[in-house]
Amino acid sequence: MPFAWPVRVYYEDTDAAGLVYYANYLRYLERARTEFLRAAGFEQDRLAEQRGLVFVVRSLRAEYLTPARFNDELEATCTIERLRRASVTFAQQVRRADEVCCDAQVLVACFDTAARRARAIPDDIAAALGRGFR
């Protein structure tokens, strides 16, 4: 089962045609990844402050399949597709019931803020992600 986070489409999320503006799907996916980490026991602000690490998007691929509209109730899903030493590839979707509005693959790297370069994902985080969130 993928991790799922509910999203309601607000007027501000839509474009002139009344459809969700494409960049807002990326915001929904980001929220789902943040909540996914929180559910695994990790707050991103604490990781940055206490361990000097952040997760940064390195690349993504997104396909927009069916439009969402104002007031739609959506869910953004998140599944780990691949867990590597210093990165995680997430398979993500924004769905309206059984319809996929946006299908994405997001590569996130673990980044050391002091060294300003990629670093290995700490063992406790990798273990939590590998345990119950695949």
Side-chain angles (χ1 to χ4, degrees), residues 25-26 61 98:
Y25 288 100
L26 303 182
R61 174 206 49 81
D98 291 332

Side-chain angles (χ1 to χ4, degrees), residues 15-95:
D15 60 16
L19 307 175
V20 171
Y21 183 65
Y22 79 97
N24 288 326
Y25 288 100
L26 303 182
R27 294 174 193 266
Y28 303 157
L29 298 175
E30 177 75 31
R31 291 175 198 165
R33 289 192 309 277
T34 296
E35 296 301 334
F36 177 89
L37 281 173
R38 181 173 287 132
F42 302 100
E43 296 287 344
Q44 292 191 71
D45 57 343
R46 287 192 202 127
L47 291 175
E49 292 166 9
Q50 297 170 2
R51 300 194 199 189
L53 75 85
V54 294
F55 289 98
V56 297
V57 173
R58 183 161 186 265
S59 66
L60 71 91
R61 174 206 49 81
E63 291 185 68
Y64 302 97
L65 303 170
T66 190
R69 293 173 172 76
F70 172 68
N71 222 22
D72 279 353
E73 292 182 32
L74 309 174
E75 69 176 12
T77 65
C78 192
T79 304
I80 291 179
E81 190 171 275
R82 186 174 189 185
L83 180 60
R84 299 187 69 182
R85 187 168 107 56
S87 67
V88 182
T89 302
F90 290 97
Q92 292 194 261
Q93 292 184 332
V94 176
R95 305 177 65 86

